[in-house]
Amino acid sequence: MNAISPPPLPTFADVEAAARRLAGRVVRTPMLRHPLLDQLAGGTVLVKPEPLQRTGSFKFRGATNAVLQLDAAQRQGGVVTHSSGNHGQAIAAAAAAEGLRALIAMPQGAPAIKVESTRRWGAEITFFDRHNTDREALAARLAAERGATVLPPFDHPHVIAGQGTLALELIEDARAAGLTLDALATAAGGGGLIAGCALAVEGASPGTEVWAVEPEGWDDTARSLAAGERLANDGQGLNLCDALLSMRPGELTFAINQPRLAGGVYVTPEEVFRAMRFAFEALKVVVEPGGSVALAALLAGKLPAQGRTIGIVLSGGNVDPAVFAQALAAG
């Protein structure tokens, strides 16, 4: 297995470098506004819709940034990762763009739309038991067997830096509109997205608070922040937000997030469905459950939005039709 030895923690400079590296390779997703959203929140809401990103989620940013920095020896054996779907799709697409082989370990029962999309990019897929498999150990074994390089879904400096580019874009677009973000809220699973965003905010908009939003029963980031150490979930929560079911924060991501995040909140399945429906009806964006949690928290009044300017990241839109229909039918 080829090992990557980048700096242990990325910095704001790494996010800026990622933005330059990704220019023309990823979609610069727009900043969306809606007067009804402002009215409901009691403030100014700026939405970053990453379902419009290539492969349907923010994950393409970090995956591409990581793949582009592989050297010749690391590229030879291809890449391996583990993912519930969005990171797997992103790695598959980023690898295909560079002519690299990709093997994706996915949990049994992963949404069919994510499995099919990953295959469409030419990646090989192997399935594992979500509840009884050490994902990191599995990826390491698979990579060792084929001399490949592991690109994990969140706990990697290049992945983290790539994800932070979306926050840079939102900060820039807000300023172009004469606005400054008072707060930014985004989903937190393993913490790679929010860690990248926290680094971007630290360098480009240091007065902006960064808030983590998680599904009920999977609020390891919020509990870890309160405890001052990484705490694990018990794994008994609902699997609705499949993109956010990491068992605990990553080592790198928590080291970045602990001193930088303002706090964390969680949302219920009912609040998630309400957000998915609102995004579809008002913003005309299809959002998956895990991708909607920040909007869900805003609509539920769980974020400090009153009289403020707040950024909301819709992180992904790869939702199975049956689940989406369930969200639209919810009262």
Side-chain angles (χ1 to χ4, degrees), residues 96-257:
E98 293 296 300
L100 306 182
R101 290 181 298 159
L103 172 61
I104 315 298
M106 301 183 72
Q108 296 165 356
I113 189 172
K114 296 182 178 181
V115 176
E116 293 163 6
S117 178
T118 302
R119 282 205 178 102
R120 195 176 302 124
W121 289 107
E124 180 184 351
I125 298 175
T126 184
F127 293 98
F128 63 86
D129 183 336
R130 181 192 298 275
H131 301 290
N132 298 301
T133 303
D134 183 326
R135 302 181 183 202
E136 289 77 15
L138 173 62
R141 177 176 62 79
L142 293 172
E145 289 173 355
R146 50 184 66 203
T149 297
V150 177
L151 292 178
F154 52 83
D155 222 22
H156 189 287
H158 299 161
V159 172
I160 293 168
Q163 317 303 27
T165 60
L166 73 82
L168 277 186
E169 293 174 3
L170 185 58
I171 291 166
E172 292 169 358
D173 289 347
R175 284 191 177 140
L179 299 167
T180 299
L181 289 172
D182 294 305
L184 174 68
T186 189
L193 169 60
I194 198 165
C197 289
L199 291 174
V201 163
E202 182 176 60
S205 185
T208 301
E209 298 171 357
V210 181
W211 287 83
V213 187
E214 299 167 290
E216 183 179 30
W218 296 91
D219 59 338
D220 50 295
T221 294
R223 291 185 297 106
S224 296
L225 290 172
E229 62 179 335
R230 291 193 301 149
L231 300 179
N233 296 306
D234 61 13
Q236 300 304 306
L238 295 177
N239 292 345
L240 175 63
C241 297
D242 63 280
L244 304 178
L245 305 188
S246 298
M247 287 305 296
R248 64 175 178 172
E251 290 185 21
L252 298 184
T253 58
F254 188 65
I256 293 167
N257 289 328

Side-chain angles (χ1 to χ4, degrees), residues 52-118:
L52 304 182
Q53 186 55 257
R54 289 171 189 160
T55 73
S57 86
F58 74 94
K59 291 283 191 177
F60 187 64
R61 297 173 181 270
T64 302
N65 191 50
V67 166
L68 289 176
Q69 295 181 78
L70 296 175
D71 61 29
Q74 292 165 335
R75 288 169 177 252
Q76 189 171 7
V79 294
V80 169
T81 196
H82 58 89
S83 167
S84 64
N86 284 336
H87 179 67
Q89 293 175 75
I91 287 291
E98 293 296 300
L100 306 182
R101 290 181 298 159
L103 172 61
I104 315 298
M106 301 183 72
Q108 296 165 356
I113 189 172
K114 296 182 178 181
V115 176
E116 293 163 6
S117 178
T118 302

